[in-house]
Amino acid sequence: MRIAVNTRLLLKDRLDGIGWFTFETLRRITVAHPEHEFIFFFDRKPAREFIFAENVTPVVLFPPTRHPLLWYLFFEFSVPYAIRKYSADIFLSPDGWIPLKTTVPTLNVIHDLNFEHCTDFLKGSHQRYFKHFFPKYARNATRLATVSEFSKNDIARTYGVPQNKIEVVYDGAHSHYHPYPEDVKKSVRDRYTCGCPYFIFVGTILKRKNLDTLFYAFDIFKDGDNAGTKLLVVGSRKWWKGDIENAYLAMRHKTDVVFVGRVDADVLGKMVSAATALAYVSYFEGFGIPVLEAFYAETPVLTSNLTSLPEIAGDAAILANPYSATDIADALHRLSTDKKLCESLVEKGRVQRLKFSWDKTANLLWDSLMKIANKQ
């Protein structure tokens, strides 16, 4: 069987959440199934590390997908042409986009519908594109996959897609996330927070990640903190201007917030392991990979009580109302002072994390492809 795959998000040193999903699943699937041929469609010259096996053929299509017009040209003209040229039997898209003009069966992975519910974090042109095309991408796909029961129900309800057309494949965690020895954790704290304990936020700085409320909460927490605790913010400032910047500038304890930008996965694994807790109180997530990564790093977790996050966290995290700075501040205080609570959360995290792995994700995604191949 010849499987064409949308791999445009495999970008060297720039993998985000969906990029890592693409990398981890395809790396496993291509190696596990040498009897099949995989045609990877890139929108720029790929790094050698993304050609995972001898049964992978990389193809560069035009144009690079940098804005809505180019997305349209890429998926509605270049991809259908390449599918025909390479006589693909199935098209797999790990990032939600599929060509609407192809007659080849498609498996489309839509991770979440954040753009349908959080409408103030995207450029207007991007928002209009998503809201116009993603209902079509969902309904036109032969089958859909997504990363949580929450997202499955949301896609079914919002777009009127039958539940039995949607598979839940979940996400996994990078191998760099595991507990590190105390001397390594100490060196991380020495380097980034002058030896002080810290809470860590991980993610692209978007409005739905709720950093503004986390800043307000951290200010409240700091009023009673005697340990010199810092807040380490890891991620690029994609949507910094406005509410997030204003909340930061209004902080009384802004000097205790440390911004480090994007870091490599191996460094980030050590940062998470060395943290007092992960503080991840997003308004909307299809999965929330940082929560799972913290479980693997054996770091206590504070997360939101909304969308998919309670499903992924189970009983292994403190759940807080993301709209309440006081609720979040109270949770930060408990995590900072209650050692037994933290030990209990870590132990529960060891159990909860067993439900999720990239091996399981890859196997479930392959099963979805086989349902298409077998016309189930």
Side-chain angles (χ1 to χ4, degrees), residues 110-118 121 131 134-135 138-139 144-163 166-168 208 283-287 306-309 311:
I110 297 180
H111 294 252
D112 62 60
L113 301 183
N114 62 73
F115 52 87
E116 294 284 1
H117 307 290
C118 305
F121 72 97
K131 290 179 77 69
F134 264 75
R139 294 169 190 148
L144 292 173
T146 192
V147 293
S148 65
E149 290 290 343
F150 166 79
S151 280
K152 175 179 178 176
N153 294 331
D154 192 28
I155 293 167
R157 180 177 58 251
T158 305
Y159 291 156
V161 177
Q163 292 263 354
I166 310 172
E167 313 283 348
V168 175
R208 68 182 172 88
Y283 292 128
F284 192 101
E285 294 293 331
F287 184 90
L306 298 180
T307 65
S308 68
L309 292 164
E311 176 186 346

Side-chain angles (χ1 to χ4, degrees), residues 9-25:
L9 294 186
L10 290 181
L11 301 171
K12 186 175 176 60
D13 300 324
R14 291 170 54 195
L15 293 179
D16 59 8
I18 298 178
W20 278 116
F21 177 96
T22 305
F23 177 86
E24 297 288 358
T25 54

Side-chain angles (χ1 to χ4, degrees), residues 27-285:
R27 182 164 64 95
R28 288 164 170 80
I29 286 172
T30 52
V31 171
H33 299 283
E35 72 278 16
H36 298 293
E37 184 180 356
F38 296 84
I39 314 297
F40 282 8
F41 295 159
F42 295 92
D43 69 348
R44 64 205 77 188
K45 184 178 179 180
R48 184 67 187 85
E49 66 201 65
F50 298 138
I51 316 306
F52 303 119
E54 292 183 0
N55 57 336
V56 173
T57 300
V59 175
V60 179
L61 303 180
F62 181 83
T65 54
R66 293 190 174 92
H67 61 69
L69 176 59
L70 300 181
W71 295 339
Y72 181 78
L73 294 174
F74 185 83
F75 284 102
E76 295 308 313
F77 292 93
S78 295
V79 170
Y81 171 79
I83 287 174
R84 292 192 301 271
K85 178 180 178 180
Y86 291 93
S87 303
D89 300 299
I90 293 177
F91 180 74
L92 166 64
S93 180
D95 68 13
W97 274 258
I98 62 169
L100 299 176
K101 294 180 179 179
T102 186
T103 57
V104 168
T106 55
L107 174 59
N108 190 14
V109 186
I110 297 180
H111 294 252
D112 62 60
L113 301 183
N114 62 73
F115 52 87
E116 294 284 1
H117 307 290
C118 305
T119 59
D120 57 353
F121 72 97
L122 287 172
K123 292 180 180 178
S125 58
H126 292 57
Q127 184 77 20
R128 288 190 294 273
Y129 186 99
F130 287 142
K131 290 179 77 69
H132 176 77
F133 280 101
F134 264 75
K136 300 177 188 291
Y137 294 156
R139 294 169 190 148
N140 281 45
T142 309
R143 294 195 69 81
L144 292 173
T146 192
V147 293
S148 65
E149 290 290 343
F150 166 79
S151 280
K152 175 179 178 176
N153 294 331
D154 192 28
I155 293 167
R157 180 177 58 251
T158 305
Y159 291 156
V161 177
Q163 292 263 354
N164 61 8
K165 181 180 171 178
I166 310 172
E167 313 283 348
V168 175
V169 300
Y170 287 116
D171 276 317
H174 198 287
S175 59
H176 288 299
Y177 293 92
H178 56 79
Y180 283 85
E182 187 53 45
D183 62 321
V184 174
K185 294 194 282 189
K186 182 179 183 304
S187 69
V188 171
R189 289 191 291 268
D190 288 344
R191 178 177 178 182
Y192 291 101
T193 59
C194 300
C196 295
Y198 62 85
F199 298 111
I200 188 168
F201 164 87
V202 180
T204 304
I205 298 175
L206 300 167
K207 293 187 75 172
R208 68 182 172 88
K209 299 295 182 179
N210 197 26
L211 260 179
D212 48 348
T213 309
L214 181 59
F215 287 153
Y216 295 136
F218 184 69
D219 239 8
I220 297 169
F221 160 80
K222 282 298 295 181
D223 287 341
D225 173 50
N226 298 315
T229 307
K230 310 292 185 183
L231 174 61
L232 199 65
V233 177
V234 184
S236 60
R237 301 190 189 191
K238 190 169 184 178
W239 198 281
W240 174 250
K241 296 294 183 182
D243 292 345
I244 302 173
E245 182 182 32
N246 293 339
Y248 171 73
L249 293 175
M251 291 180 72
R252 299 182 303 280
H253 302 281
K254 66 173 69 69
T255 56
D256 289 312
V257 179
V258 180
F259 296 92
V260 296
R262 288 178 65 102
V263 298
D264 292 338
D266 58 335
V267 176
L268 184 53
K270 294 170 186 173
M271 286 178 168
V272 174
S273 178
T276 299
L278 172 76
Y280 193 75
V281 287
S282 176
Y283 292 128
F284 192 101
E285 294 293 331

Side-chain angles (χ1 to χ4, degrees), residues 344-362:
S344 171
L345 291 175
V346 168
E347 183 58 39
K348 290 175 180 177
R350 293 188 187 110
V351 176
Q352 183 70 2
R353 72 190 185 194
L354 297 177
K355 299 176 181 178
F356 314 103
S357 75
W358 287 123
D359 287 341
K360 289 183 179 180
T361 306

